[in-house]
Amino acid sequence: MVEKEEVLFFPELLSIGQLQKMTGYNKENYHDLVSMKGFPKFEDGNGRLKFPKQGVLKFIAAKTQYNFD
């Protein structure tokens, strides 16, 4: 019997630089954004912050008047 491999789905992840580019925040003020309660972020295995793109888009749309369309 062959065991099926479990496939883990990782959404598109943004680095801090990509997040800044997408949102227009810069290194001086992006911390204001990512420190908001409930902002979607996690650390990868190397201790770097990563941001799931869809989660970020939904969070910003829900919390601000900013629209990416």
Side-chain angles (χ1 to χ4, degrees):
M1 176 169 159
V2 176
E3 281 191 39
K4 277 179 74 176
E5 276 189 40
E6 193 174 335
V7 177
L8 297 176
F9 174 71
F10 289 101
E12 187 178 354
L13 298 176
L14 302 171
S15 68
I16 289 172
Q18 291 167 316
L19 177 76
Q20 290 172 359
K21 194 177 208 179
M22 185 180 88
T23 60
Y25 279 77
N26 60 43
K27 64 179 184 283
E28 308 300 320
N29 64 9
Y30 86 94
H31 197 266
D32 296 342
L33 175 68
V34 301
S35 62
M36 287 173 75
K37 187 172 170 30
F39 193 81
K41 64 179 181 258
F42 60 90
E43 283 190 14
D44 68 11
N46 298 317
R48 288 188 293 255
L49 277 179
K50 296 289 180 184
F51 309 92
K53 184 174 184 179
Q54 292 309 313
V56 169
L57 293 174
K58 286 180 180 138
F59 181 88
I60 291 173
K63 299 281 185 196
T64 71
Q65 302 303 307
Y66 196 85
N67 193 337
F68 286 96
D69 293 334

